Amino acid sequence: VVSALTRQSPASEVVLIYDCCHAGAASPITGTTLDSTASELSSVPGRVLLAGCAAHQSGWETTNDNHRKLGAFSAHILDGLNGAAVPRQSSKVRGSALGEYVTRQFRQWNQDPTIHCKETGTRHCV
């Protein structure tokens, strides 16, 4: 359902972020898999899918500077949005740069985030 709404949205940019245990297996009741969700989104420019871990992995929890608990994937997403994922030659975060940043960070956690980006031209998904 979410992927269909994303695909049909009139918004020029849409970012889906799944931060939960087994995020790589996220699927609606219809049986659509994350792979087919990514495939569906690939037909529409300006769409990004970021999932915190592979289907067989659990999510991680961490504590931020304010001592609030949140998903480790979300913490890295927020760090990336706050500038850690900004390429040197740019002042904006693209979905692909955010995905690369989060993937690098999560390799240290032995996690396998799933990232799918359909960027074109000057579109900045984030």
Side-chain angles (χ1 to χ4, degrees), residues 55-73:
H56 66 280
Q57 296 174 324
S58 295
W60 294 76
E61 189 176 80
T62 189
T63 304
N64 69 7
D65 294 338
N66 297 327
H67 306 288
R68 292 180 56 198
K69 289 186 178 185
L70 68 154
F73 188 68

Side-chain angles (χ1 to χ4, degrees), residues 49-97:
L49 172 66
L50 306 169
C53 58
H56 66 280
Q57 296 174 324
S58 295
W60 294 76
E61 189 176 80
T62 189
T63 304
N64 69 7
D65 294 338
N66 297 327
H67 306 288
R68 292 180 56 198
K69 289 186 178 185
L70 68 154
F73 188 68
S74 291
H76 289 300
I77 291 285
L78 292 172
D79 288 345
L81 291 172
N82 284 322
V86 176
R88 290 185 191 130
Q89 68 277 12
S90 177
S91 62
K92 297 182 179 180
V93 178
R94 293 180 64 94
S96 56

Side-chain angles (χ1 to χ4, degrees), residues 9 18 71 75 82 102-103 106-107 115 118 125:
S9 173
Y18 297 146
N82 284 322
V102 173
T103 298
F106 259 62
R107 294 292 179 220
I115 312 299
K118 176 68 172 184
C125 291

Side-chain angles (χ1 to χ4, degrees), residues 26-64:
S27 63
I29 296 171
T30 61
T32 304
T33 65
L34 189 64
D35 288 339
S36 65
T37 299
S39 177
E40 289 173 17
L41 294 179
S42 69
S43 65
V44 182
R47 303 301 187 255
V48 174
L49 172 66
L50 306 169
C53 58
H56 66 280
Q57 296 174 324
S58 295
W60 294 76
E61 189 176 80
T62 189
T63 304
N64 69 7

